[in-house]
Amino acid sequence: MINFFRKIRRNLLEEGKVSKYLKYAIGEIILVVVGILIALQINNWNESRKSREVELNYLKNIQEDILSDSLYFERSWFKRGDKKIQGLNKTKNYYLNGIIPTDTITFINDVAYGGIYGIGRLTPNNRTYNELSSTGNISLISDQDIRDEIVAYYLNLEFLYEYGADSRSDYPHFMNSYKVFNPKFPDSVSPAEIPILLKMMRKDKFYQLTNSELTYAYSILSRLEYTKRDASLLYQRIESYLEFHIE
């Protein structure tokens, strides 16, 4: 097409028709400009499509991470938290009332169960969020509300784990110093150690540790309830967004 305009331009110049030449020259310029604009538009469209694909993949991964954390908490704290609290309350009642249980082995194991999740550190499944934050790709999440909710959700998770690490007591360590924990035989109790264990549970220090561990358990479960609610809301918000944007 451009060669066609050049040929016409040459013919018009040879014929001395300047006005017609100018019209064709302008037409040639317009054609080139339109071609450039179309090319830029196509390039922008391709870049936008690629960004949208990356955004949708990030959101899908965030959903998977949220689901993974939610399942972990359901199988751990929400499933066993009440039993942990029951064991700690049995310890308190024994200290306060001094009633010797008829089944001492079951009682001691229940007391020991009060230390579950008191050792170690909770770690969220936040790989996707860490990547979004470290690379600056959080800006690819085009929906402002979803982006803000993602940031708020993971900031709350970070606070939860820091809070949990700071509020735990030495209850499990103190208990294990009197009753050895063997993963292969978690409920085993040496009959010879039962009197020592019962005496240890009447110590003021153990009572103080029990109260601290109870506070820790109540606090974590309460905060996890809010986290569970926020996780569900964020998951559903992302799900609706994906359904609308995925063809």
Side-chain angles (χ1 to χ4, degrees):
M1 182 63 72
I2 294 177
N3 290 332
F4 172 74
F5 274 108
R6 289 175 177 172
K7 183 177 180 181
I8 293 176
R9 181 178 59 186
R10 186 170 59 251
N11 291 337
L12 291 173
L13 286 173
E14 291 174 354
E15 294 175 5
K17 299 178 180 179
V18 177
S19 62
K20 290 186 177 181
Y21 162 73
L22 290 175
K23 291 181 181 179
Y24 280 107
I26 292 172
E28 182 178 353
I29 292 172
I30 292 174
L31 179 65
V32 172
V33 171
V34 170
I36 292 173
L37 291 176
I38 291 174
L40 288 174
Q41 185 65 29
I42 293 174
N43 182 67
N44 290 338
W45 181 83
N46 285 331
E47 291 299 320
S48 178
R49 180 177 58 83
K50 291 178 182 178
S51 295
R52 176 52 60 86
E53 289 178 354
V54 173
E55 175 196 16
L56 297 181
N57 283 332
Y58 271 129
L59 290 174
K60 291 177 186 176
N61 290 337
I62 287 286
Q63 274 192 310
E64 291 178 2
D65 291 348
I66 291 174
L67 183 59
S68 175
D69 278 340
S70 298
L71 289 175
Y72 166 72
F73 289 129
E74 285 292 337
R75 294 167 180 170
S76 56
W77 276 93
F78 288 122
K79 183 178 180 179
R80 300 184 173 91
D82 287 343
K83 185 177 178 181
K84 172 184 175 72
I85 291 173
Q86 290 172 8
L88 293 169
N89 280 324
K90 286 184 179 182
T91 306
K92 284 194 64 172
N93 290 334
Y94 176 71
Y95 175 89
L96 294 172
N97 301 318
I99 299 175
I100 299 177
T102 55
D103 187 347
T104 53
I105 293 180
T106 298
F107 169 73
I108 290 171
N109 284 326
D110 289 343
V111 169
Y113 200 90
I116 193 172
Y117 307 130
I119 298 176
R121 182 184 176 90
L122 296 173
T123 52
N125 188 5
N126 57 2
R127 296 187 301 272
T128 303
Y129 178 71
N130 286 341
E131 182 178 337
L132 284 170
S133 299
S134 62
T135 60
N137 285 342
I138 189 70
S139 61
L140 292 177
I141 310 300
S142 56
D143 189 292
Q144 180 71 44
D145 291 336
I146 292 180
R147 184 165 67 247
D148 291 344
E149 286 184 31
I150 289 173
V151 173
Y153 174 76
Y154 280 99
L155 286 178
N156 286 333
L157 271 186
E158 183 179 349
F159 173 79
L160 172 65
Y161 298 129
E162 292 296 332
Y163 175 84
D166 292 339
S167 61
R168 288 177 307 182
S169 72
D170 284 332
Y171 181 97
H173 296 291
F174 192 78
M175 185 69 197
N176 289 342
S177 69
Y178 286 88
K179 177 185 179 297
V180 176
F181 175 74
N182 184 345
K184 292 184 177 180
F185 308 100
D187 296 331
S188 62
V189 179
S190 171
E193 291 182 325
I194 290 178
I196 300 174
L197 288 165
L198 293 176
K199 183 179 179 180
M200 176 271 294
M201 293 176 199
R202 298 300 303 278
K203 290 187 176 182
D204 292 345
K205 180 180 180 180
F206 194 57
Y207 178 71
Q208 294 166 357
L209 291 175
T210 301
N211 284 332
S212 296
E213 191 70 12
L214 265 173
T215 301
Y216 163 69
Y218 283 130
S219 299
I220 291 297
L221 281 171
S222 176
R223 293 178 183 277
L224 281 178
E225 288 290 347
Y226 290 107
T227 301
K228 181 180 179 179
R229 180 204 61 191
D230 293 342
S232 178
L233 292 173
L234 179 56
Y235 188 95
Q236 292 300 323
R237 176 68 71 89
I238 294 175
E239 185 69 17
S240 296
Y241 184 84
L242 292 175
E243 288 177 356
F244 182 79
H245 289 88
I246 293 179
E247 299 177 356

